[in-house]
Amino acid sequence: MGNPLQPVPSADGVWITAYGPGSITLNGVPYSHPVLVIPHAQPPVRPWPHARVEDIPGAALAELAQENPEVLMLGTGSRQLFLSPEQMRAFPPRRFGIECMTTPAACRTFGVLAAEGRRVIAILFPPTAENPPRD
């Protein structure tokens, strides 16, 4: 199951309950692939079709602006990665933050922001077994 988290349900009922090498657990369901979490949408958890951060097309990121988030959390796996300048240019002028951090940090931060009722969405890449989370 990995590192358990104290479940903190969001106002929309999405909670991240654990993460570990190769998986993230949301609402008790483990996912071994990247996921897109939009708590106010149906369904709130969806497969994210891009296997690596650097493979995410700018257009896919730009579409997320339509969800009108306050914050987009990007959990990049076991190591912190950042979006490229090309990926960032794809975003229309926006009024929300984009936070890139390790997936363990993104899971914890997502829980706090969601529990506060903030309009947060997340793209979460599972930490890898070869490079497990340190925290």
Side-chain angles (χ1 to χ4, degrees):
M1 178 153 125
N3 298 320
L5 291 174
Q6 177 63 37
V8 179
S10 69
D12 297 301
V14 175
W15 14 343
I16 301 172
T17 52
Y19 59 83
S23 72
I24 303 164
T25 304
L26 293 108
N27 291 358
V29 178
Y31 294 89
S32 60
H33 53 77
V35 292
L36 171 62
V37 183
I38 305 174
H40 54 274
Q42 288 302 320
V45 180
R46 307 167 194 181
W48 181 247
H50 310 287
R52 302 178 321 152
V53 172
E54 54 270 23
D55 294 339
I56 301 172
L61 293 168
E63 285 179 29
L64 296 177
Q66 296 174 17
E67 296 298 332
N68 198 27
E70 290 179 56
V71 179
L72 166 61
M73 305 295 307
L74 178 58
T76 60
S78 301
R79 289 188 283 176
Q80 184 178 22
L81 302 172
F82 296 94
L83 295 172
S84 70
E86 293 80 23
Q87 288 169 312
M88 291 298 293
R89 277 195 289 276
F91 279 103
R94 62 193 183 282
R95 294 189 175 119
F96 63 92
I98 301 169
E99 301 294 337
C100 299
M101 56 188 69
T102 65
T103 295
C107 289
R108 291 188 302 270
T109 305
F110 177 90
V112 169
L113 295 175
E116 291 175 352
R118 305 273 303 274
R119 197 167 169 95
V120 60
I121 63 175
I123 300 168
L124 302 171
F125 289 84
T128 61
E130 302 83 40
N131 200 3
R134 295 185 184 166
D135 44 9

